[in-house]
Amino acid sequence: MVEWTDSERAIINSIFSNLDYEEIGRKSLCRCLIVYPWTQRYFGGFGNLYNAETILCNPLIAAHGTKILHGLDRALKNMDDIKNTYAELSLLHSDKLHVDPDNFRLLADCLTVVIAAKMGPAFTVETQVAWQKFLSVVVSALGRQYH
Amino acid sequence: MSLSSKQKATVKDFFSKMSTRSDDIGAEALSRLVAVYPQTKSYFSHWKDASPGSAPVRKHGITIMGGVYDAVGKIDDLKGGLLSLSELHAFMLRVDPVNFKLLAHCMLVCMSMIFPEEFTPQVHAAVDKFLAQLALALAEKYR
């Protein structure tokens, strides 16, 4: 079981409470598709992904980014049992979506970069440590049910 | 995954913009490396204090950043240009190459924090590729 200090909980909650889910979700997913273009393999039905500009303007991608952030919200609300909270989602990504779990890490890294840009100096070392700990638990839980 | 001439130009341009803050970015990046990935402190057991923000960590972060800038100048032949640095890392330092990726990530986070407008997805992609190529060149002599 993952142990969270009061400080870590406060940091994670604070990040989410100041977050524009639409803006950050869109930016993170777009960044992932641009920086790691092989991730586009999972978005065949999402319209035009021809280049960075079209990706950044794609409304289907933007909507999906928001969806992902709301999914993360579930982990926030169940920080003490992320593994079980995500069991079904993990199976979905494994059995239906067939997503290589390494992609979760790639998206997590892009999310970190986008949040760092948003928060600037407020994204302190302590904040980054707590944030990346949270994301690594999420990534691990999402990959947990693969078989 | 080699760099196109456009990406090389993007890297040179961004690093030039970054140059006034390069020391800060180097120092911060290494601090964040040892904080977020504590196992990396294993390479610094000879320092009295390897905690994030400590003097030896900041100083060494600046040194590393200097090396990265040097590599930007050698972007057309990283393997050739970084030969002696690669020998240093292979035979003396023997840093596991997985750590190059971890440090690259911390550098990207710092660049994003300090230059949020300039560090667009396209710049991010080019710099990430460059750092990966740099890591490959550094690991060239490992085995």
Side-chain angles (χ1 to χ4, degrees):
Chain A
M1 235 224 21
V2 185
E3 301 279 331
W4 301 100
T5 64
D6 289 341
S7 162
E8 284 168 342
R9 283 180 206 274
I11 288 171
I12 307 298
N13 273 287
S14 164
I15 293 176
F16 273 90
S17 63
N18 293 317
L19 216 58
D20 178 338
Y21 284 37
E22 278 169 20
E23 180 202 354
I24 300 299
R26 175 182 58 82
K27 283 182 172 169
S28 305
L29 184 56
C30 285
R31 196 165 279 249
C32 189
L33 296 171
I34 293 166
V35 178
Y36 309 111
W38 54 91
T39 56
Q40 291 169 26
R41 76 190 305 282
Y42 303 109
F43 295 91
F46 279 68
N48 193 348
L49 301 180
Y50 184 66
N51 56 28
E53 287 72 26
T54 59
I55 291 172
L56 288 162
C57 295
N58 185 317
L60 292 173
I61 294 296
H64 199 69
T66 309
K67 197 171 177 188
I68 292 173
L69 257 283
H70 282 292
L72 266 181
D73 195 70
R74 286 175 55 194
L76 170 77
K77 301 212 155 68
N78 295 281
M79 266 175 81
D80 289 310
D81 195 13
I82 294 176
K83 191 170 75 182
N84 284 317
T85 305
Y86 275 178
E88 223 182 286
L89 254 183
S90 176
L91 273 172
L92 174 81
H93 283 79
S94 158
D95 295 352
K96 262 201 78 185
L97 304 175
H98 307 291
V99 176
D100 181 335
D102 195 54
N103 291 282
F104 306 144
R105 187 183 55 80
L106 298 179
L107 182 58
D109 283 351
C110 286
L111 186 51
T112 302
V113 167
V114 167
I115 285 182
K118 186 80 191 180
M119 291 178 67
F123 195 64
T124 60
V125 176
E126 203 198 347
T127 304
Q128 185 179 349
V129 174
W131 178 245
Q132 290 208 214
K133 179 178 169 182
F134 173 73
L135 284 181
S136 69
V137 174
V138 164
V139 165
S140 167
L142 272 176
R144 196 76 173 44
Q145 304 302 329
Y146 277 63
H147 56 102
Chain B
M1 290 197 261
S2 49
L3 291 154
S4 68
S5 34
K6 183 156 180 245
Q7 285 170 328
K8 286 182 187 175
T10 302
V11 170
K12 287 183 184 165
D13 186 56
F14 180 72
F15 271 76
S16 156
K17 284 189 186 131
M18 219 178 74
S19 54
T20 51
R21 301 293 306 272
S22 59
D23 280 0
D24 282 334
I25 291 178
E28 269 299 308
L30 196 62
S31 283
R32 281 157 194 266
L33 179 74
V34 297
V36 179
Y37 310 104
Q39 68 273 18
T40 56
K41 283 189 290 194
S42 62
Y43 292 98
F44 305 116
S45 52
H46 55 287
W47 289 343
K48 208 160 142 208
D49 182 5
S51 61
S54 72
V57 168
R58 290 191 67 86
K59 180 164 175 250
H60 196 62
I62 293 172
T63 302
I64 293 175
M65 204 61 190
V68 175
Y69 264 84
D70 186 61
V72 176
K74 297 171 176 169
I75 203 168
D76 290 314
D77 180 21
L78 286 172
K79 285 213 175 97
L82 298 179
L83 210 55
S84 48
L85 254 186
S86 178
E87 281 171 357
L88 175 77
H89 283 77
F91 305 129
M92 266 207 61
L93 303 176
R94 289 179 287 198
V95 174
D96 191 316
V98 75
N99 296 290
F100 301 150
K101 260 194 208 175
L102 303 181
L103 180 57
H105 169 71
C106 292
M107 285 180 174
L108 298 174
V109 169
C110 292
M111 290 171 189
S112 180
M113 272 172 61
I114 296 180
F115 294 95
E117 301 300 316
E118 294 87 337
F119 199 64
T120 61
Q122 295 90 321
V123 170
H124 178 165
V127 174
D128 188 43
K129 258 176 97 167
F130 167 68
L131 292 175
Q133 292 278 306
L134 212 184
L136 269 174
L138 272 181
E140 178 67 16
K141 292 277 164 201
Y142 269 56
R143 55 176 173 175

